[in-house]
Amino acid sequence: VIKVGTSSLVRPEQQTLNLTNLARICETVKLLKSEGHHVIVVTSGAVGVGCQRLGLTTKPSVLAKKQALAAVGQVHLMKYYEDFLAALGLTCAQVLLTLDNLANRSQYLNARNTFTELLAYGVVPVVNENDTVAVQELRFGDNDTLSAQVAALVQADWLFLLTDVDCLYTANPKDDPNAVPIYEVEDISRLNADTSTRGTQWGTGGMATKLTAGRIATAAGCTMVICNSNAPENIVRIVKGEPRLGSKFFPLPHCLKGRKRWILSVPVRGQLWLDAGAVRAVRDKHKSLFAAGVAKVVGAFHSQDCVSLCDLSGVELGRGLVNFSSEEVRAIAGSSRGKPMADQLGFPTMDEVVHR
């Protein structure tokens, strides 16, 4: 999966499409296809191209205007991909998704089946957020996260985030001369890097969103790489094993499978903070979570919503579908394992707050 950011597609000084970068990205797709790889492109840029088509020099902040610009830009953006890929003998398909689509289990499976058939036909899916209806994405979201969820959906081996820097640094190299490049990340949870600087006005992300994508992708068994969009041909070299051509994030040792991988796409509705014993049971022994181990409940959620499981410092150690509402969990939190949940809540139910 190759994610192309708006900053890689739009020249900010002229507010025009960067056709050079787009052509090189499409040529890289052709090279990867010729070596037997399936390739999916996740592209940003609809709003930026919409601005360019309408002669706007700044991206508006009003949501309705962004949605209108996305509608204008998406058709032109796909036309460019179609023209470049067709010139290389490839066929592409447009796939528009929202995070809500992937959060619904049946829609998630339908999307996965569609990708499977497109790849079987030899087609290059070109994916974008469905900006005209994805309200949350346009306010807060980014295609870094979407690309990671697509990578998890199709069980991709690699996720490449093309951006305007060579790799991840310990600090912003534009501001800190002592910033050091980070070429390999074995455990993303232990990463020490400053990600406070956001992207350009044309993009919606920055380095922080790329690390969010990294957490999703590596949990799903995918190797993620942050690399420079000005040299997309390096993707082929990275796949062949050449080092120091970007920041490589390795998959977690215990990767999620099946339904657990789908949970990565489900919006988190709240948090359950676990005491030390429950942390050991859930994280180290892979056990279910019982009420006795719940020390704190954060947020409002319903039964079968996704919740984040955290230690007493608030650090996330897992996610799961909760069997009770937030009010019910508060009522039973910290209670003894010896007393059945049915007696405490007044109705027949299971004992596990979150099943393993």
Side-chain angles (χ1 to χ4, degrees), residues 25-26 70 96 105 146 254:
I25 289 165
C26 291
L96 296 177
R105 177 69 175 168
L146 176 62
H254 302 287

Side-chain angles (χ1 to χ4, degrees), residues 183-203:
Y183 293 112
E184 293 188 348
V185 179
E186 295 283 353
D187 185 351
I188 194 170
S189 65
R190 299 180 180 180
L191 181 65
N192 182 21
D194 177 13
T195 60
S196 57
T197 304
R198 62 157 290 153
T200 67
Q201 66 143 331
W202 298 106

Side-chain angles (χ1 to χ4, degrees), residues 99 129-131 134-143 204:
L99 301 183
E129 182 84 21
N130 195 351
D131 287 341
V135 175
Q136 184 179 9
E137 191 277 343
L138 280 176
R139 285 179 176 169
F140 313 108
D142 60 276
N143 272 355
T204 56

Side-chain angles (χ1 to χ4, degrees), residues 68-304:
L69 289 168
V72 172
Q74 181 63 30
V75 63
H76 292 286
L77 185 62
M78 278 306 302
K79 178 180 183 297
Y80 287 116
Y81 275 106
E82 165 64 22
D83 289 345
F84 277 98
L85 290 172
L88 296 167
L90 299 176
T91 301
C92 68
Q94 175 178 258
V95 180
L96 296 177
L97 294 172
T98 67
L99 301 183
D100 287 339
N101 293 147
L102 299 184
N104 180 289
R105 177 69 175 168
S106 62
Q107 292 185 47
Y108 176 93
L109 294 175
N110 286 338
R112 187 176 70 185
N113 292 339
T114 299
F115 278 113
T116 299
E117 294 304 321
L118 287 172
L119 296 175
Y121 279 124
V123 171
V124 179
V126 179
V127 184
N128 198 0
E129 182 84 21
N130 195 351
D131 287 341
T132 54
V133 298
V135 175
Q136 184 179 9
E137 191 277 343
L138 280 176
R139 285 179 176 169
F140 313 108
D142 60 276
N143 272 355
D144 292 327
T145 302
L146 176 62
S147 67
Q149 291 177 334
V150 169
L153 174 75
V154 301
Q155 302 180 42
D157 296 313
W158 296 87
L159 168 63
F160 291 92
L161 302 184
L162 298 183
T163 185
D164 53 3
V165 295
D166 293 326
C167 60
L168 177 69
Y169 288 81
T170 53
N172 188 344
K174 296 178 181 178
D175 302 327
D176 187 351
N178 298 318
V180 177
I182 302 173
Y183 293 112
E184 293 188 348
V185 179
E186 295 283 353
D187 185 351
I188 194 170
S189 65
R190 299 180 180 180
L191 181 65
N192 182 21
D194 177 13
T195 60
S196 57
T197 304
R198 62 157 290 153
T200 67
Q201 66 143 331
W202 298 106
T204 56
M207 198 55 70
T209 61
K210 289 169 178 55
L211 297 191
T212 299
R215 294 183 186 98
I216 295 171
T218 56
C222 179
T223 300
M224 189 187 83
V225 182
I226 297 173
C227 53
N228 200 314
S229 61
N230 291 325
E233 60 275 6
N234 282 346
I235 291 176
V236 180
R237 298 166 62 189
I238 293 169
V239 170
K240 291 180 177 179
E242 288 194 36
R244 295 178 176 264
L245 291 175
S247 294
K248 185 183 295 183
F249 296 74
F250 293 99
L252 298 181
H254 302 287
C255 300
L256 302 180
K257 307 295 182 183
R259 185 177 175 87
K260 290 183 180 180
R261 185 184 291 116
W262 165 67
I263 290 177
L264 291 170
S265 302
V266 180
V268 175
R269 302 301 185 188
Q271 295 179 339
L272 299 180
W273 289 31
L274 282 53
D275 64 26
V279 168
R280 288 192 297 270
V282 172
R283 183 187 61 196
D284 303 330
K285 299 180 181 179
H286 307 289
K287 300 292 185 180
S288 296
L289 173 64
F290 294 89
V294 178
K296 180 179 177 180
V297 180
V298 178
F301 48 83
H302 301 287
S303 173
Q304 294 306 302

Side-chain angles (χ1 to χ4, degrees), residues 33-52:
K33 292 280 290 179
S34 67
E35 296 190 2
H37 300 285
H38 292 303
V39 183
I40 296 173
V41 176
V42 177
T43 183
S44 300
V47 175
V49 174
C51 288
Q52 180 246 322

